[in-house]
Amino acid sequence: MAKNKEQNQANYNMRTRMIDGSYGSKHWEYNHHIVPPMSASCAYRLDNVQRGAEGFAHFANPEDIDSLPIFIYDRLDEPARGMLEEKLACAEGGDIAVCFATGMAAISAAIGVTTKHGDEIVAHHTLYGCTYSLFANWLPRQGITTSFVDLKDPSAFWSSITCNTRVVYLETPVNPTLDILDIASIKKSISDVNATRPKGREILLIVDNTFATPFCQRPLQFGADIVVHSLTKNIGGFGTDMGGVVIASAKYQRDLLLYRKDFGGVLSPKGAWPILVYGLPTLAARMVNQQKSAMKIAHFLEGHPMIEKVMYPGLESFPQRELARKQMFSYDGKFAPGSVIYFVLKGSQCRAQKAAEMFIDVVAKNSRCITLAVSLGQIRTLIEAPYSMTHAALPDDLKNAIGISPGGIRLSLGLEDWHDIIADLSRALEETSADQSNYLDGAATAGS
Ligand SMILES: *Cc1c(COP(=O)(O)O)cnc(C)c1O
């Protein structure tokens, strides 16, 4: 009976599979619950020493992947997180998923299980700030160094690869400029290198898929070896809980579980539960709506006289339009350009920066549907200025070279009515324009 249900489950579409809770999970028999129980137990009762011994022997043992887990201690394995891991692996198209306390803990683990002293990483030059800091400040202490290069440029890739390169690491779309990196073509170059290497010394491709979410893009399909996510963003979706996950083929499970056991950055069951119950099941519905708003708002901004440029993969004017269509699509094959827009206000650098700050301040003061905050991918629309906020740590010349302009603004669309978002953006642009001309007139009369 249960077997039939499980077989049926595989025939359902992904949107259904991310919601359906009525199939038997090996982590918990909850056929009579509609919502999985929130577990809360640091240690588990073992009926006898034999069971305890078996539990330890089974843990992280690849031969026991399909057997019923024997729970011993939360940091090793526990039901709510285990169920979330099954669903995340399925959503991303990987064999296994291992969840961590935050996205950064997941990224640390992905690097931890794939590199050792003397190894090198080649990373795209623009990365989530803390990932950059991990690679630039902490990994070198363990003898792991990183070359930051432009992975849009194949010659930069080739000149950065050495015989010690072990990992190529990237995010796509790139935050905040929304440049897209071609996962399949980068993988092709890596495979060319790997063909010349001894077994066990191959270069692995790790992709941070947080920005796109598995709804819009599944890097494993294009040859990534490992995918990492911050569950804090769109997968969690409501902005209430932090989390991270590593998704990969089964051969990485053992090391990921042992790493998590020993470094300890495990996702708590109370943190896993809202992502399992609210986040992942609503991901598709949220993304469809957020994308629709993003498209409407990108068009509105593109037509506005105060805007210099709008970067959104869904726009016809998007420079990498073809690549976006090839790489970003939902489970049913529809183009899925995501829910984040980057746009730049007109004017010289200094003037554009002032205008952007003024504009965001007006939004922060007057808008009820757009919130000034970092983070992204939640039901609330969030706005921020990457140049002086999230990406402030990058040197100015690098920011200018890679398109993070002083007048740049990042907008992460939520679920508010898009008419309201456009109305608030429009009013704030008007107010900024009026204020800017006063400011300029004033400056002119003052003779400066
Ligand atoms: C937020 C974020 C992270 C880090 O995730 P945390 O859950 O905050 O640790 C990593 N990568 C990207 C692209 C992010 O947006």
Side-chain angles (χ1 to χ4, degrees):
M1 188 68 191
K3 191 80 190 158
N4 278 344
K5 265 195 174 174
E6 263 172 65
Q7 276 160 356
N8 284 343
Q9 159 84 9
N11 297 330
Y12 286 130
N13 290 311
M14 193 58 78
R15 274 184 79 152
T16 308
R17 296 179 71 177
M18 290 197 289
I19 293 167
D20 177 35
S22 65
Y23 68 99
S25 160
K26 69 179 167 123
H27 283 91
W28 200 311
E29 198 284 304
Y30 69 102
N31 281 344
H32 301 108
H33 293 69
I34 293 171
V35 175
M38 189 189 295
S39 58
S41 190
C42 299
Y44 288 79
R45 177 151 43 79
L46 298 159
D47 306 326
N48 45 50
V49 174
Q50 171 70 15
R51 183 175 164 84
E54 267 176 41
F56 279 101
H58 282 212
F59 176 69
N61 186 341
E63 273 156 30
D64 293 322
I65 248 184
D66 289 324
S67 58
L68 284 177
I70 296 175
F71 298 117
I72 302 168
Y73 191 59
D74 183 340
R75 180 153 43 70
L76 276 55
D77 192 10
E78 88 65 56
R81 186 172 61 235
M83 285 188 274
L84 176 63
E85 287 168 344
E86 286 172 355
K87 291 207 164 212
L88 286 168
C90 172
E92 193 65 57
D95 298 338
I96 59 102
V98 178
C99 283
F100 292 84
T102 64
M104 287 317 303
I107 293 167
S108 307
I111 298 298
V113 300
T114 52
T115 59
K116 62 176 173 24
H117 191 276
D119 286 344
E120 294 171 13
I121 299 170
V122 170
H124 187 59
H125 53 47
T126 313
L127 293 175
Y128 181 70
C130 303
T131 307
Y132 177 83
S133 175
L134 172 69
F135 289 6
N137 299 322
W138 296 102
L139 294 183
R141 294 191 180 197
Q142 296 164 27
I144 300 158
T145 53
T146 302
S147 311
F148 297 96
V149 302
D150 182 359
L151 286 177
K152 279 210 287 188
D153 172 8
S155 68
F157 169 85
W158 287 109
S159 56
S160 63
I161 296 288
T162 76
C163 56
N164 294 322
T165 308
R166 187 69 174 122
V167 164
V168 172
Y169 187 97
L170 60 93
E171 299 164 8
T172 179
V174 176
N175 175 17
T177 56
L178 297 171
D179 277 340
I180 293 183
L181 298 173
D182 188 336
I183 302 169
S185 100
I186 291 168
K187 175 63 181 193
K188 168 82 183 57
S189 306
I190 292 173
S191 300
D192 290 348
V193 181
N194 286 345
T196 69
R197 294 205 166 190
K199 210 170 153 37
R201 287 300 301 164
E202 292 95 347
I203 299 175
L204 302 172
L205 176 58
I206 304 182
V207 176
D208 179 337
N209 199 28
T210 301
F211 235 63
T213 82
F215 179 80
C216 299
Q217 172 176 283
R218 287 150 313 275
L220 297 174
Q221 253 177 28
F222 297 104
D225 296 285
I226 294 178
V227 166
V228 293
H229 275 286
S230 166
L231 300 172
T232 315
K233 312 295 168 54
N234 250 317
I235 295 181
F238 293 85
T240 57
D241 294 272
M242 303 200 82
V245 65
V246 181
I247 301 163
S249 59
K251 67 178 175 207
Y252 295 101
Q253 187 181 38
R254 181 184 148 78
D255 281 356
L256 285 166
L257 287 174
L258 294 175
Y259 181 100
R260 184 175 72 183
K261 170 177 82 70
D262 297 342
F263 282 83
V266 66
L267 180 65
S268 81
K270 295 181 192 78
W273 190 85
I275 303 172
L276 174 68
V277 174
Y278 300 120
L280 197 57
T282 59
L283 175 67
R286 283 182 286 110
M287 289 311 289
V288 166
N289 283 282
Q290 289 169 205
Q291 277 184 165
K292 181 176 159 203
S293 298
M295 194 60 129
K296 298 277 184 199
I297 283 144
H299 278 135
F300 159 76
L301 290 169
E302 201 171 36
H304 197 283
M306 282 175 71
I307 309 292
E308 173 84 33
K309 72 164 180 181
V310 183
M311 291 287 274
Y312 178 60
L315 287 174
E316 289 297 313
S317 61
F318 186 70
Q320 295 170 290
R321 183 177 165 275
E322 289 311 313
L323 176 56
R325 276 162 201 271
K326 194 183 89 180
Q327 192 165 278
M328 301 183 75
F329 49 87
S330 59
Y331 295 111
D332 52 5
K334 292 203 185 89
F335 181 36
S339 58
V340 182
I341 299 175
Y342 178 70
F343 62 102
V344 181
L345 295 188
K346 272 189 185 155
S348 65
Q349 292 220 331
C350 172
R351 194 168 164 213
Q353 182 164 17
K354 276 217 153 56
E357 278 171 18
M358 195 177 290
F359 168 72
I360 294 178
D361 285 348
V362 173
V363 168
K365 186 164 132 250
N366 297 341
S367 177
R368 296 208 137 220
C369 68
I370 308 171
T371 305
L372 168 57
V374 298
S375 198
L376 53 101
Q378 34 174 294
I379 56 167
R380 279 174 180 271
T381 294
L382 304 179
I383 196 167
E384 67 112 6
Y387 194 88
S388 58
M389 293 175 58
T390 46
H391 293 68
L394 298 182
D396 287 357
D397 349 337
L398 178 64
K399 283 190 281 196
N400 292 325
I402 62 186
I404 305 179
S405 327
I409 294 165
R410 187 181 76 184
L411 190 67
S412 163
L413 275 306
L415 291 178
E416 304 86 349
D417 189 318
W418 59 266
H419 298 91
D420 292 332
I421 299 172
I422 289 185
D424 280 6
L425 289 173
S426 176
R427 269 193 294 270
L429 283 166
E430 256 166 53
E431 213 174 297
T432 306
S433 154
D435 225 297
Q436 280 267 301
S437 41
N438 286 342
Y439 163 78
L440 290 173
D441 291 349
T445 38
S448 53

